[in-house]
Amino acid sequence: MRGEVRFERPTTAGLVGSVGARASHNPGWIEDPDAGFSYARKPKRRRYGKSGGSRRVLPRFLGIGLLAAYFGTISLFSFWQNGDFTRYVADNGPLYNIAARAVGLGINRVTINGIGRLRVEEVLAAAQVTPQGSLLFLDVTEMRERLETMPLVKSASVRKMYPNELILTLSERQPFAVWQKNGELAIVAEDGTVIDHTVDARFASLPLVVGENANLHIKQYLELLETAGPLKSRIRAGTYVAGRRWTLKMDSGIDIRLPETGTMEALKRLVALEQSERVLEKDVLAVDLRLPDRVVVRLSGDAATARAESMKKKSFYGVKGIQT
């Protein structure tokens, strides 16, 4: 005896043979050649329904799961009806963004390159970057288009760096001229886009153009300045008149009225006249160059009165006057 429950060897071979025969035909029987006997497992009980067939066993905890789903549905419906869901979405963003942030695909870092006059807060507001967003569902094209609607932004690029970094690269428009319209001043870029309404001493050296659509013809005005040569430094502003021609305002207050066509030639005539007659140093209000064969000078009130008196004296002595 080994101190375990043992089955004794059968005393007759016939019994063993009969048991072995039963084991060979019944898969529930197992033979033990060392012990010299065979024994049978207890067969599994089969459950039958009322019809006598096998009954399907339900999964464990099914009832608990159904009960939890029931109460969860009721809670969600109540959450929705009471307006809590709307407030939750407003505070945390859409559900898909919440899910993306939960797996680490939020926007935790924003890098902005190329800004000079723009502030970080302005860029983030225009790009609509908020903590409620996610990198996964961010539309790069839409964000780039929103950034390029900013007056100071000439071009923009947006790049995702997974898992949670956003890189914005901007190219700013540079101040090119000051534009005055209806008495209001604005800073404009080279293409005429208004980029700022705050005009101070920093922009005193920029060209000044005045009038409707003058901001769209700044390059033409700059060509006039170059043609003016030695008079360039004395030209204070250019007024775009009726969408056709320019009138230059000198630092002395004199207006130089240029023609619609042949503008450069007329301006060269003024340069030559100034060198020979010093006409811009006289007491005049305007110099009209719109006629190709003559220069018309408009005198100031005092100058006109003095000239009229002078012409009367010259007529008295038989000298014919000159109309101006």
Side-chain angles (χ1 to χ4, degrees), residues 77-96:
F77 181 76
S78 176
F79 188 63
W80 179 286
Q81 288 295 104
N82 293 335
D84 295 333
F85 178 79
T86 303
R87 287 192 295 270
Y88 179 79
V89 170
D91 294 338
N92 299 278
L95 295 180
Y96 55 84

Side-chain angles (χ1 to χ4, degrees), residues 12-252:
T12 60
L15 180 59
V16 174
S18 62
V19 174
R22 292 176 57 193
S24 63
H25 292 86
N26 190 344
W29 288 85
I30 299 177
E31 297 185 8
D32 188 348
D34 295 333
F37 66 90
S38 302
Y39 62 94
R41 291 175 179 165
K42 184 178 180 181
K44 294 182 179 180
R45 297 180 60 185
R46 302 184 67 183
R47 301 179 181 180
Y48 297 94
K50 294 182 180 181
S51 60
S54 299
R55 185 175 63 183
R56 185 175 181 180
V57 180
L58 296 177
R60 297 182 65 184
F61 307 114
L62 177 62
I64 296 177
L66 292 175
L67 188 63
Y70 172 74
F71 284 109
T73 302
I74 293 178
S75 300
L76 287 175
F77 181 76
S78 176
F79 188 63
W80 179 286
Q81 288 295 104
N82 293 335
D84 295 333
F85 178 79
T86 303
R87 287 192 295 270
Y88 179 79
V89 170
D91 294 338
N92 299 278
L95 295 180
Y96 55 84
N97 279 338
I98 295 174
R101 294 198 305 270
V103 297
L105 297 177
I107 303 176
N108 298 343
R109 181 179 179 182
V110 181
T111 302
I112 305 176
N113 301 319
I115 60 175
R117 302 181 66 244
L118 284 169
R119 297 191 300 271
V120 173
E121 296 78 9
E122 293 175 326
V123 176
L124 295 179
Q128 298 180 12
V129 177
T130 64
Q132 290 78 23
S134 70
L135 203 66
L136 181 62
F137 295 102
L138 185 147
D139 192 318
V140 172
T141 302
E142 288 186 1
M143 181 171 289
R144 176 179 56 80
E145 291 175 351
R146 287 195 297 268
L147 288 171
E148 290 181 348
T149 60
M150 302 179 70
L152 262 176
V153 176
K154 183 177 181 180
S155 62
S157 66
V158 181
R159 185 171 53 162
K160 300 180 182 180
M161 293 292 289
Y162 285 99
N164 50 29
E165 183 179 359
L166 180 65
I167 299 179
L168 308 178
T169 303
L170 308 180
S171 175
E172 291 186 353
R173 288 187 172 95
Q174 298 302 316
F176 191 71
V178 180
W179 176 36
Q180 178 178 328
K181 178 184 176 183
N182 298 328
E184 297 182 358
L185 297 176
I187 304 300
V188 296
E190 186 175 3
D191 60 357
T193 303
V194 176
I195 59 178
D196 202 341
H197 288 280
T198 302
V199 181
D200 52 36
R202 295 176 298 169
F203 308 108
S205 61
L206 294 178
L208 173 62
V209 292
V210 183
E212 186 75 24
N213 295 327
N215 59 315
L216 303 179
H217 298 83
I218 298 176
K219 291 184 178 180
Q220 183 181 1
Y221 172 65
L222 295 180
E223 292 176 0
L224 292 178
L225 294 181
E226 295 302 321
T227 304
L231 299 180
K232 176 181 177 180
S233 60
R234 298 173 60 181
I235 299 175
R236 189 175 69 182
T239 301
Y240 196 57
V241 181
R244 299 194 309 267
R245 63 177 190 85
W246 289 92
T247 292
L248 305 180
K249 176 72 73 172
M250 308 301 292
D251 54 5
S252 59

